[in-house]
Amino acid sequence: LQKLIHLLQATDDPLIQEQALITLSNSAAFSVNQDIIRNLDGLSVIGGMLSNCVPKVKEKALNALNNLSMNIKNQEEIQVFITQVCRTVESAPLNSDVQLAGLRLLTNMSVTNDYHQKMTNSIPCFLHLLSEGTERTQIQVLKVLVNLSANPAMTRHLLRAQV
């Protein structure tokens, strides 16, 4: 895992970055690896890939963070990327793999109320995706909205959103 994280930092080759992210994502299926990746500063390295201009690399970084977000301690570190993930969801092509990967990560990050406030500004985008997206996109958006709606503090933001 350490070598993969170092490889991710050391290369500019999108194909190598994509493969390293896929391997890290698969490794994150095991809780012990989630802790190891966090302790090796892997979350910030993977999060740094969110600003990559290659859509496949960005998608694989979102998928890896999604798998890593199943751990509460990891969520505490991943939350610094929520605003960037929301911007990615908003700017990605409609129904794209990048958009769906971002929505899946936001779904996991919104299971608890801890980070809902970081998603408030994206509520109009979520509602737009709900009306314009394909069924797959709509399902992912609904999961985020259901999680947000379970928090009474979000009621005003949800009802006042301009669509």
PDB file of all heavy atoms in Angstrom, residues 1-11 17 20-21 24 37-38 40-52 57 61 64-65 68 77 80-81:
ATOM      1  N   LEU A   1       0.827  -1.199   0.000  1.00  0.00           N
ATOM      2  CA  LEU A   1       0.000   0.000   0.000  1.00  0.00           C
ATOM      3  C   LEU A   1       0.866   1.255   0.000  1.00  0.00           C
ATOM      4  O   LEU A   1       0.565   2.221  -0.695  1.00  0.00           O
ATOM      5  CB  LEU A   1      -0.949  -0.001   1.207  1.00  0.00           C
ATOM      6  CG  LEU A   1      -2.051  -1.055   1.180  1.00  0.00           C
ATOM      7  CD1 LEU A   1      -2.819  -1.078   2.495  1.00  0.00           C
ATOM      8  CD2 LEU A   1      -2.997  -0.830   0.021  1.00  0.00           C
ATOM      9  N   GLN A   2       1.940   1.204   0.775  1.00  0.00           N
ATOM     10  CA  GLN A   2       2.837   2.356   0.834  1.00  0.00           C
ATOM     11  C   GLN A   2       3.450   2.637  -0.536  1.00  0.00           C
ATOM     12  O   GLN A   2       3.520   3.784  -0.972  1.00  0.00           O
ATOM     13  CB  GLN A   2       3.930   2.104   1.867  1.00  0.00           C
ATOM     14  CG  GLN A   2       4.841   3.296   2.092  1.00  0.00           C
ATOM     15  CD  GLN A   2       5.835   3.044   3.200  1.00  0.00           C
ATOM     16  OE1 GLN A   2       6.215   1.909   3.464  1.00  0.00           O
ATOM     17  NE2 GLN A   2       6.242   4.103   3.868  1.00  0.00           N
ATOM     18  N   LYS A   3       3.855   1.580  -1.231  1.00  0.00           N
ATOM     19  CA  LYS A   3       4.455   1.737  -2.558  1.00  0.00           C
ATOM     20  C   LYS A   3       3.432   2.300  -3.557  1.00  0.00           C
ATOM     21  O   LYS A   3       3.775   3.121  -4.406  1.00  0.00           O
ATOM     22  CB  LYS A   3       5.030   0.426  -3.051  1.00  0.00           C
ATOM     23  CG  LYS A   3       6.285   0.009  -2.306  1.00  0.00           C
ATOM     24  CD  LYS A   3       6.906  -1.227  -2.928  1.00  0.00           C
ATOM     25  CE  LYS A   3       8.036  -1.750  -2.092  1.00  0.00           C
ATOM     26  NZ  LYS A   3       9.246  -0.995  -2.132  1.00  0.00           N
ATOM     27  N   LEU A   4       2.189   1.867  -3.441  1.00  0.00           N
ATOM     28  CA  LEU A   4       1.139   2.396  -4.320  1.00  0.00           C
ATOM     29  C   LEU A   4       0.918   3.885  -4.086  1.00  0.00           C
ATOM     30  O   LEU A   4       0.770   4.657  -5.041  1.00  0.00           O
ATOM     31  CB  LEU A   4      -0.170   1.648  -4.091  1.00  0.00           C
ATOM     32  CG  LEU A   4      -0.353   0.330  -4.800  1.00  0.00           C
ATOM     33  CD1 LEU A   4      -1.596  -0.378  -4.303  1.00  0.00           C
ATOM     34  CD2 LEU A   4      -0.426   0.531  -6.299  1.00  0.00           C
ATOM     35  N   ILE A   5       0.892   4.275  -2.835  1.00  0.00           N
ATOM     36  CA  ILE A   5       0.688   5.686  -2.498  1.00  0.00           C
ATOM     37  C   ILE A   5       1.866   6.518  -3.016  1.00  0.00           C
ATOM     38  O   ILE A   5       1.660   7.589  -3.606  1.00  0.00           O
ATOM     39  CB  ILE A   5       0.470   5.861  -0.979  1.00  0.00           C
ATOM     40  CG1 ILE A   5      -0.868   5.222  -0.586  1.00  0.00           C
ATOM     41  CG2 ILE A   5       0.508   7.327  -0.587  1.00  0.00           C
ATOM     42  CD1 ILE A   5      -1.069   5.042   0.903  1.00  0.00           C
ATOM     43  N   HIS A   6       3.075   6.006  -2.838  1.00  0.00           N
ATOM     44  CA  HIS A   6       4.250   6.713  -3.351  1.00  0.00           C
ATOM     45  C   HIS A   6       4.224   6.780  -4.877  1.00  0.00           C
ATOM     46  O   HIS A   6       4.574   7.810  -5.461  1.00  0.00           O
ATOM     47  CB  HIS A   6       5.541   6.049  -2.863  1.00  0.00           C
ATOM     48  CG  HIS A   6       5.832   6.318  -1.423  1.00  0.00           C
ATOM     49  ND1 HIS A   6       5.980   7.582  -0.905  1.00  0.00           N
ATOM     50  CD2 HIS A   6       5.995   5.469  -0.383  1.00  0.00           C
ATOM     51  CE1 HIS A   6       6.224   7.513   0.395  1.00  0.00           C
ATOM     52  NE2 HIS A   6       6.221   6.232   0.746  1.00  0.00           N
ATOM     53  N   LEU A   7       3.809   5.698  -5.510  1.00  0.00           N
ATOM     54  CA  LEU A   7       3.708   5.672  -6.968  1.00  0.00           C
ATOM     55  C   LEU A   7       2.706   6.722  -7.443  1.00  0.00           C
ATOM     56  O   LEU A   7       2.953   7.436  -8.415  1.00  0.00           O
ATOM     57  CB  LEU A   7       3.287   4.274  -7.436  1.00  0.00           C
ATOM     58  CG  LEU A   7       3.074   4.085  -8.940  1.00  0.00           C
ATOM     59  CD1 LEU A   7       4.381   4.317  -9.697  1.00  0.00           C
ATOM     60  CD2 LEU A   7       2.535   2.688  -9.208  1.00  0.00           C
ATOM     61  N   LEU A   8       1.596   6.817  -6.751  1.00  0.00           N
ATOM     62  CA  LEU A   8       0.565   7.791  -7.096  1.00  0.00           C
ATOM     63  C   LEU A   8       1.114   9.216  -7.015  1.00  0.00           C
ATOM     64  O   LEU A   8       0.794  10.061  -7.864  1.00  0.00           O
ATOM     65  CB  LEU A   8      -0.616   7.615  -6.137  1.00  0.00           C
ATOM     66  CG  LEU A   8      -1.982   8.100  -6.556  1.00  0.00           C
ATOM     67  CD1 LEU A   8      -2.377   7.568  -7.917  1.00  0.00           C
ATOM     68  CD2 LEU A   8      -3.006   7.684  -5.517  1.00  0.00           C
ATOM     69  N   GLN A   9       1.946   9.471  -6.032  1.00  0.00           N
ATOM     70  CA  GLN A   9       2.547  10.794  -5.873  1.00  0.00           C
ATOM     71  C   GLN A   9       3.624  11.062  -6.922  1.00  0.00           C
ATOM     72  O   GLN A   9       3.805  12.202  -7.339  1.00  0.00           O
ATOM     73  CB  GLN A   9       3.192  10.920  -4.489  1.00  0.00           C
ATOM     74  CG  GLN A   9       2.209  11.012  -3.351  1.00  0.00           C
ATOM     75  CD  GLN A   9       2.921  11.047  -2.014  1.00  0.00           C
ATOM     76  OE1 GLN A   9       3.605  10.103  -1.654  1.00  0.00           O
ATOM     77  NE2 GLN A   9       2.741  12.147  -1.295  1.00  0.00           N
ATOM     78  N   ALA A  10       4.331  10.023  -7.323  1.00  0.00           N
ATOM     79  CA  ALA A  10       5.534  10.199  -8.144  1.00  0.00           C
ATOM     80  C   ALA A  10       5.263  10.263  -9.645  1.00  0.00           C
ATOM     81  O   ALA A  10       6.094  10.771 -10.388  1.00  0.00           O
ATOM     82  CB  ALA A  10       6.506   9.058  -7.862  1.00  0.00           C
ATOM     83  N   THR A  11       4.125   9.773 -10.087  1.00  0.00           N
ATOM     84  CA  THR A  11       3.898   9.688 -11.534  1.00  0.00           C
ATOM     85  C   THR A  11       2.889  10.719 -12.023  1.00  0.00           C
ATOM     86  O   THR A  11       1.970  11.107 -11.292  1.00  0.00           O
ATOM     87  CB  THR A  11       3.426   8.276 -11.941  1.00  0.00           C
ATOM     88  OG1 THR A  11       3.366   8.215 -13.371  1.00  0.00           O
ATOM     89  CG2 THR A  11       2.060   7.946 -11.371  1.00  0.00           C
ATOM     90  N   GLN A  17      -1.731   6.178 -12.735  1.00  0.00           N
ATOM     91  CA  GLN A  17      -2.542   6.745 -11.646  1.00  0.00           C
ATOM     92  C   GLN A  17      -3.872   6.002 -11.528  1.00  0.00           C
ATOM     93  O   GLN A  17      -4.297   5.649 -10.424  1.00  0.00           O
ATOM     94  CB  GLN A  17      -2.804   8.234 -11.904  1.00  0.00           C
ATOM     95  CG  GLN A  17      -1.581   9.099 -11.761  1.00  0.00           C
ATOM     96  CD  GLN A  17      -1.826  10.523 -12.233  1.00  0.00           C
ATOM     97  OE1 GLN A  17      -2.695  10.793 -13.060  1.00  0.00           O
ATOM     98  NE2 GLN A  17      -1.040  11.446 -11.693  1.00  0.00           N
ATOM     99  N   ALA A  20      -3.295   2.495 -10.058  1.00  0.00           N
ATOM    100  CA  ALA A  20      -2.952   2.586  -8.633  1.00  0.00           C
ATOM    101  C   ALA A  20      -4.197   2.902  -7.812  1.00  0.00           C
ATOM    102  O   ALA A  20      -4.416   2.317  -6.740  1.00  0.00           O
ATOM    103  CB  ALA A  20      -1.868   3.643  -8.410  1.00  0.00           C
ATOM    104  N   LEU A  21      -5.039   3.793  -8.317  1.00  0.00           N
ATOM    105  CA  LEU A  21      -6.272   4.149  -7.604  1.00  0.00           C
ATOM    106  C   LEU A  21      -7.245   2.974  -7.556  1.00  0.00           C
ATOM    107  O   LEU A  21      -7.908   2.759  -6.539  1.00  0.00           O
ATOM    108  CB  LEU A  21      -6.925   5.374  -8.248  1.00  0.00           C
ATOM    109  CG  LEU A  21      -6.202   6.695  -7.999  1.00  0.00           C
ATOM    110  CD1 LEU A  21      -6.681   7.772  -8.965  1.00  0.00           C
ATOM    111  CD2 LEU A  21      -6.380   7.138  -6.547  1.00  0.00           C
ATOM    112  N   LEU A  24      -5.881   0.652  -4.883  1.00  0.00           N
ATOM    113  CA  LEU A  24      -6.141   1.207  -3.546  1.00  0.00           C
ATOM    114  C   LEU A  24      -7.617   1.097  -3.191  1.00  0.00           C
ATOM    115  O   LEU A  24      -7.976   0.779  -2.055  1.00  0.00           O
ATOM    116  CB  LEU A  24      -5.673   2.666  -3.470  1.00  0.00           C
ATOM    117  CG  LEU A  24      -4.168   2.870  -3.394  1.00  0.00           C
ATOM    118  CD1 LEU A  24      -3.804   4.331  -3.644  1.00  0.00           C
ATOM    119  CD2 LEU A  24      -3.634   2.408  -2.042  1.00  0.00           C
ATOM    120  N   ILE A  37      -4.088   2.788   5.008  1.00  0.00           N
ATOM    121  CA  ILE A  37      -4.055   3.852   3.994  1.00  0.00           C
ATOM    122  C   ILE A  37      -4.139   5.219   4.664  1.00  0.00           C
ATOM    123  O   ILE A  37      -3.400   6.142   4.305  1.00  0.00           O
ATOM    124  CB  ILE A  37      -5.171   3.643   2.948  1.00  0.00           C
ATOM    125  CG1 ILE A  37      -4.871   2.388   2.115  1.00  0.00           C
ATOM    126  CG2 ILE A  37      -5.318   4.873   2.052  1.00  0.00           C
ATOM    127  CD1 ILE A  37      -6.012   1.919   1.229  1.00  0.00           C
ATOM    128  N   ARG A  38      -4.992   5.357   5.661  1.00  0.00           N
ATOM    129  CA  ARG A  38      -5.099   6.631   6.395  1.00  0.00           C
ATOM    130  C   ARG A  38      -3.786   6.946   7.098  1.00  0.00           C
ATOM    131  O   ARG A  38      -3.276   8.067   7.010  1.00  0.00           O
ATOM    132  CB  ARG A  38      -6.245   6.587   7.407  1.00  0.00           C
ATOM    133  CG  ARG A  38      -6.401   7.900   8.169  1.00  0.00           C
ATOM    134  CD  ARG A  38      -7.453   7.859   9.267  1.00  0.00           C
ATOM    135  NE  ARG A  38      -7.094   6.919  10.315  1.00  0.00           N
ATOM    136  CZ  ARG A  38      -7.685   5.732  10.525  1.00  0.00           C
ATOM    137  NH1 ARG A  38      -8.689   5.342   9.774  1.00  0.00           N
ATOM    138  NH2 ARG A  38      -7.282   4.933  11.484  1.00  0.00           N
ATOM    139  N   LEU A  40      -0.846   6.100   6.361  1.00  0.00           N
ATOM    140  CA  LEU A  40       0.220   6.399   5.395  1.00  0.00           C
ATOM    141  C   LEU A  40      -0.031   7.723   4.665  1.00  0.00           C
ATOM    142  O   LEU A  40       0.636   8.019   3.673  1.00  0.00           O
ATOM    143  CB  LEU A  40       0.338   5.260   4.372  1.00  0.00           C
ATOM    144  CG  LEU A  40       0.838   3.917   4.904  1.00  0.00           C
ATOM    145  CD1 LEU A  40       0.699   2.831   3.838  1.00  0.00           C
ATOM    146  CD2 LEU A  40       2.293   4.050   5.350  1.00  0.00           C
ATOM    147  N   ASP A  41      -1.000   8.506   5.133  1.00  0.00           N
ATOM    148  CA  ASP A  41      -1.392   9.777   4.514  1.00  0.00           C
ATOM    149  C   ASP A  41      -1.969   9.565   3.119  1.00  0.00           C
ATOM    150  O   ASP A  41      -1.941  10.458   2.277  1.00  0.00           O
ATOM    151  CB  ASP A  41      -0.207  10.747   4.478  1.00  0.00           C
ATOM    152  CG  ASP A  41      -0.652  12.184   4.264  1.00  0.00           C
ATOM    153  OD1 ASP A  41      -1.751  12.546   4.748  1.00  0.00           O
ATOM    154  OD2 ASP A  41       0.080  12.939   3.595  1.00  0.00           O
ATOM    155  N   GLY A  42      -2.501   8.374   2.895  1.00  0.00           N
ATOM    156  CA  GLY A  42      -3.069   8.053   1.592  1.00  0.00           C
ATOM    157  C   GLY A  42      -4.321   8.829   1.248  1.00  0.00           C
ATOM    158  O   GLY A  42      -4.583   9.095   0.071  1.00  0.00           O
ATOM    159  N   LEU A  43      -5.081   9.225   2.271  1.00  0.00           N
ATOM    160  CA  LEU A  43      -6.327   9.955   1.995  1.00  0.00           C
ATOM    161  C   LEU A  43      -6.035  11.299   1.335  1.00  0.00           C
ATOM    162  O   LEU A  43      -6.714  11.685   0.383  1.00  0.00           O
ATOM    163  CB  LEU A  43      -7.129  10.150   3.281  1.00  0.00           C
ATOM    164  CG  LEU A  43      -7.611   8.856   3.941  1.00  0.00           C
ATOM    165  CD1 LEU A  43      -8.276   9.149   5.277  1.00  0.00           C
ATOM    166  CD2 LEU A  43      -8.554   8.101   3.037  1.00  0.00           C
ATOM    167  N   SER A  44      -5.013  11.996   1.819  1.00  0.00           N
ATOM    168  CA  SER A  44      -4.701  13.292   1.215  1.00  0.00           C
ATOM    169  C   SER A  44      -4.091  13.109  -0.179  1.00  0.00           C
ATOM    170  O   SER A  44      -4.334  13.930  -1.077  1.00  0.00           O
ATOM    171  CB  SER A  44      -3.778  14.109   2.116  1.00  0.00           C
ATOM    172  OG  SER A  44      -2.532  13.478   2.257  1.00  0.00           O
ATOM    173  N   VAL A  45      -3.333  12.045  -0.375  1.00  0.00           N
ATOM    174  CA  VAL A  45      -2.757  11.775  -1.699  1.00  0.00           C
ATOM    175  C   VAL A  45      -3.880  11.464  -2.693  1.00  0.00           C
ATOM    176  O   VAL A  45      -3.918  12.020  -3.798  1.00  0.00           O
ATOM    177  CB  VAL A  45      -1.734  10.619  -1.639  1.00  0.00           C
ATOM    178  CG1 VAL A  45      -1.269  10.223  -3.032  1.00  0.00           C
ATOM    179  CG2 VAL A  45      -0.545  11.004  -0.760  1.00  0.00           C
ATOM    180  N   ILE A  46      -4.800  10.600  -2.281  1.00  0.00           N
ATOM    181  CA  ILE A  46      -5.931  10.255  -3.155  1.00  0.00           C
ATOM    182  C   ILE A  46      -6.811  11.488  -3.373  1.00  0.00           C
ATOM    183  O   ILE A  46      -7.230  11.770  -4.495  1.00  0.00           O
ATOM    184  CB  ILE A  46      -6.751   9.088  -2.557  1.00  0.00           C
ATOM    185  CG1 ILE A  46      -5.896   7.822  -2.518  1.00  0.00           C
ATOM    186  CG2 ILE A  46      -8.025   8.849  -3.368  1.00  0.00           C
ATOM    187  CD1 ILE A  46      -6.481   6.696  -1.688  1.00  0.00           C
ATOM    188  N   GLY A  47      -7.058  12.236  -2.317  1.00  0.00           N
ATOM    189  CA  GLY A  47      -7.841  13.466  -2.440  1.00  0.00           C
ATOM    190  C   GLY A  47      -7.209  14.459  -3.394  1.00  0.00           C
ATOM    191  O   GLY A  47      -7.903  15.194  -4.107  1.00  0.00           O
ATOM    192  N   GLY A  48      -5.882  14.473  -3.432  1.00  0.00           N
ATOM    193  CA  GLY A  48      -5.190  15.351  -4.366  1.00  0.00           C
ATOM    194  C   GLY A  48      -5.470  15.010  -5.817  1.00  0.00           C
ATOM    195  O   GLY A  48      -5.381  15.868  -6.701  1.00  0.00           O
ATOM    196  N   MET A  49      -5.847  13.775  -6.059  1.00  0.00           N
ATOM    197  CA  MET A  49      -6.167  13.335  -7.422  1.00  0.00           C
ATOM    198  C   MET A  49      -7.515  13.889  -7.902  1.00  0.00           C
ATOM    199  O   MET A  49      -7.825  13.823  -9.092  1.00  0.00           O
ATOM    200  CB  MET A  49      -6.201  11.807  -7.508  1.00  0.00           C
ATOM    201  CG  MET A  49      -4.871  11.123  -7.273  1.00  0.00           C
ATOM    202  SD  MET A  49      -3.758  11.292  -8.678  1.00  0.00           S
ATOM    203  CE  MET A  49      -2.510  12.338  -7.974  1.00  0.00           C
ATOM    204  N   LEU A  50      -8.303  14.455  -6.986  1.00  0.00           N
ATOM    205  CA  LEU A  50      -9.597  15.017  -7.380  1.00  0.00           C
ATOM    206  C   LEU A  50      -9.428  16.229  -8.291  1.00  0.00           C
ATOM    207  O   LEU A  50     -10.343  16.580  -9.029  1.00  0.00           O
ATOM    208  CB  LEU A  50     -10.414  15.417  -6.139  1.00  0.00           C
ATOM    209  CG  LEU A  50     -10.838  14.279  -5.223  1.00  0.00           C
ATOM    210  CD1 LEU A  50     -11.583  14.826  -4.016  1.00  0.00           C
ATOM    211  CD2 LEU A  50     -11.694  13.263  -5.974  1.00  0.00           C
ATOM    212  N   SER A  51      -8.285  16.868  -8.235  1.00  0.00           N
ATOM    213  CA  SER A  51      -8.057  18.028  -9.098  1.00  0.00           C
ATOM    214  C   SER A  51      -7.411  17.629 -10.426  1.00  0.00           C
ATOM    215  O   SER A  51      -7.114  18.485 -11.252  1.00  0.00           O
ATOM    216  CB  SER A  51      -7.206  19.069  -8.375  1.00  0.00           C
ATOM    217  OG  SER A  51      -6.012  18.492  -7.920  1.00  0.00           O
ATOM    218  N   ASN A  52      -7.228  16.336 -10.643  1.00  0.00           N
ATOM    219  CA  ASN A  52      -6.668  15.841 -11.898  1.00  0.00           C
ATOM    220  C   ASN A  52      -7.647  16.144 -13.031  1.00  0.00           C
ATOM    221  O   ASN A  52      -8.860  16.007 -12.874  1.00  0.00           O
ATOM    222  CB  ASN A  52      -6.418  14.325 -11.790  1.00  0.00           C
ATOM    223  CG  ASN A  52      -5.524  13.802 -12.882  1.00  0.00           C
ATOM    224  OD1 ASN A  52      -5.859  13.876 -14.055  1.00  0.00           O
ATOM    225  ND2 ASN A  52      -4.391  13.257 -12.484  1.00  0.00           N
ATOM    226  N   VAL A  57      -9.167   9.331 -14.019  1.00  0.00           N
ATOM    227  CA  VAL A  57      -8.375   9.416 -12.789  1.00  0.00           C
ATOM    228  C   VAL A  57      -9.234  10.012 -11.675  1.00  0.00           C
ATOM    229  O   VAL A  57      -9.253   9.500 -10.546  1.00  0.00           O
ATOM    230  CB  VAL A  57      -7.087  10.252 -13.007  1.00  0.00           C
ATOM    231  CG1 VAL A  57      -6.370  10.503 -11.692  1.00  0.00           C
ATOM    232  CG2 VAL A  57      -6.173   9.554 -14.003  1.00  0.00           C
ATOM    233  N   ALA A  61     -10.346   8.151  -8.218  1.00  0.00           N
ATOM    234  CA  ALA A  61     -10.052   8.768  -6.917  1.00  0.00           C
ATOM    235  C   ALA A  61     -11.328   8.870  -6.084  1.00  0.00           C
ATOM    236  O   ALA A  61     -11.325   8.579  -4.883  1.00  0.00           O
ATOM    237  CB  ALA A  61      -9.417  10.148  -7.110  1.00  0.00           C
ATOM    238  N   ALA A  64     -12.179   5.417  -4.815  1.00  0.00           N
ATOM    239  CA  ALA A  64     -11.297   5.015  -3.716  1.00  0.00           C
ATOM    240  C   ALA A  64     -11.719   5.712  -2.422  1.00  0.00           C
ATOM    241  O   ALA A  64     -11.822   5.080  -1.358  1.00  0.00           O
ATOM    242  CB  ALA A  64      -9.847   5.333  -4.051  1.00  0.00           C
ATOM    243  N   LEU A  65     -11.980   7.014  -2.497  1.00  0.00           N
ATOM    244  CA  LEU A  65     -12.425   7.745  -1.299  1.00  0.00           C
ATOM    245  C   LEU A  65     -13.765   7.218  -0.814  1.00  0.00           C
ATOM    246  O   LEU A  65     -14.009   7.145   0.395  1.00  0.00           O
ATOM    247  CB  LEU A  65     -12.505   9.248  -1.582  1.00  0.00           C
ATOM    248  CG  LEU A  65     -11.172   9.956  -1.747  1.00  0.00           C
ATOM    249  CD1 LEU A  65     -11.391  11.410  -2.171  1.00  0.00           C
ATOM    250  CD2 LEU A  65     -10.347   9.888  -0.465  1.00  0.00           C
ATOM    251  N   LEU A  68     -13.053   4.130   1.097  1.00  0.00           N
ATOM    252  CA  LEU A  68     -12.362   4.489   2.335  1.00  0.00           C
ATOM    253  C   LEU A  68     -13.280   5.210   3.318  1.00  0.00           C
ATOM    254  O   LEU A  68     -13.014   5.226   4.521  1.00  0.00           O
ATOM    255  CB  LEU A  68     -11.145   5.362   2.010  1.00  0.00           C
ATOM    256  CG  LEU A  68      -9.996   4.608   1.340  1.00  0.00           C
ATOM    257  CD1 LEU A  68      -9.061   5.579   0.636  1.00  0.00           C
ATOM    258  CD2 LEU A  68      -9.251   3.761   2.363  1.00  0.00           C
ATOM    259  N   GLU A  77     -11.142  12.793   7.886  1.00  0.00           N
ATOM    260  CA  GLU A  77     -10.149  13.358   6.975  1.00  0.00           C
ATOM    261  C   GLU A  77     -10.735  13.649   5.595  1.00  0.00           C
ATOM    262  O   GLU A  77     -10.390  14.638   4.959  1.00  0.00           O
ATOM    263  CB  GLU A  77      -8.943  12.425   6.848  1.00  0.00           C
ATOM    264  CG  GLU A  77      -8.109  12.370   8.113  1.00  0.00           C
ATOM    265  CD  GLU A  77      -6.780  11.656   7.926  1.00  0.00           C
ATOM    266  OE1 GLU A  77      -6.217  11.702   6.803  1.00  0.00           O
ATOM    267  OE2 GLU A  77      -6.313  11.062   8.904  1.00  0.00           O
ATOM    268  N   VAL A  80     -12.723  17.133   4.372  1.00  0.00           N
ATOM    269  CA  VAL A  80     -12.117  18.349   3.826  1.00  0.00           C
ATOM    270  C   VAL A  80     -12.291  18.429   2.306  1.00  0.00           C
ATOM    271  O   VAL A  80     -12.129  19.505   1.725  1.00  0.00           O
ATOM    272  CB  VAL A  80     -10.618  18.485   4.193  1.00  0.00           C
ATOM    273  CG1 VAL A  80     -10.414  18.518   5.689  1.00  0.00           C
ATOM    274  CG2 VAL A  80      -9.786  17.388   3.558  1.00  0.00           C
ATOM    275  N   PHE A  81     -12.646  17.323   1.676  1.00  0.00           N
ATOM    276  CA  PHE A  81     -12.822  17.289   0.226  1.00  0.00           C
ATOM    277  C   PHE A  81     -14.291  17.427  -0.200  1.00  0.00           C
ATOM    278  O   PHE A  81     -14.575  17.460  -1.400  1.00  0.00           O
ATOM    279  CB  PHE A  81     -12.257  15.989  -0.351  1.00  0.00           C
ATOM    280  CG  PHE A  81     -10.783  15.799  -0.084  1.00  0.00           C
ATOM    281  CD1 PHE A  81     -10.354  14.824   0.794  1.00  0.00           C
ATOM    282  CD2 PHE A  81      -9.849  16.608  -0.700  1.00  0.00           C
ATOM    283  CE1 PHE A  81      -9.006  14.644   1.047  1.00  0.00           C
ATOM    284  CE2 PHE A  81      -8.492  16.445  -0.453  1.00  0.00           C
ATOM    285  CZ  PHE A  81      -8.069  15.465   0.431  1.00  0.00           C
TER     286      PHE A  81
END
